[in-house]
Amino acid sequence: QVQLVESGGGSVQAGGSLRLSCTASGVIQNSFLMAWFRQAPGQEREGVAVLYLASGRTEYVGSVEGRFDISRDSGKNVLYLQMNSLKPEDTAMYYCAAKPWYRGTWYTSSDYSFWGQGTQVTVAS
């Protein structure tokens, strides 16, 4: 069983930065991918960024391309999301998730087996 715990959320001014962390326990197989999702009030959960563990390949949703960076410290089993040039529209609850890479698409939340509890990010204008 995999457990995911996010941290690092908070409140920042527009243009600021935050780094989210997701600490994983249990067996994260190399065939997995790990992703960050976000959900604003009244909106659907949206895939933000993904890291394929076997290849190291990353993908981002267009709205964060060039501003966010997903990475992993495999020795510590921690997934990060570095968020720069934050905008008010980035305000949301951010979730870490994991699944086998071959199950569905990376940006479809219903394809994921494992989720963290979320960490709130608020960006003030």
Side-chain angles (χ1 to χ4, degrees):
Q1 189 73 359
V2 173
Q3 292 185 330
L4 305 172
V5 179
E6 303 96 334
S7 61
S11 297
V12 296
Q13 294 291 317
S17 298
L18 281 174
R19 188 177 78 160
L20 306 183
S21 299
C22 170
T23 302
S25 59
V27 179
I28 299 287
Q29 299 181 24
N30 211 38
S31 60
F32 273 43
L33 58 83
M34 298 186 74
W36 288 97
F37 281 76
R38 65 186 179 187
Q39 188 168 22
Q43 297 189 19
E44 293 188 358
R45 195 165 293 192
E46 173 189 43
V48 175
V50 64
L51 173 66
Y52 293 82
L53 301 188
S55 66
R57 182 165 67 95
T58 60
E59 293 183 38
Y60 300 88
V61 69
S63 59
V64 309
E65 190 89 49
R67 300 189 297 123
F68 288 13
D69 180 68
I70 187 171
S71 63
R72 181 180 181 231
D73 183 333
S74 58
K76 297 180 180 179
N77 227 7
V78 179
L79 182 75
Y80 299 104
L81 185 68
Q82 177 66 44
M83 305 185 295
N84 301 321
S85 302
L86 282 161
K87 304 176 181 180
E89 51 263 43
D90 295 317
T91 295
M93 185 73 78
Y94 282 71
Y95 298 90
C96 174
K99 71 176 184 77
W101 69 266
Y102 48 80
R103 182 179 297 165
T105 64
W106 77 263
Y107 47 82
T108 302
S109 60
S110 59
D111 291 336
Y112 282 77
S113 308
F114 306 107
W115 289 91
Q117 83 289 348
T119 186
Q120 178 68 37
V121 172
T122 302
V123 185
S125 57

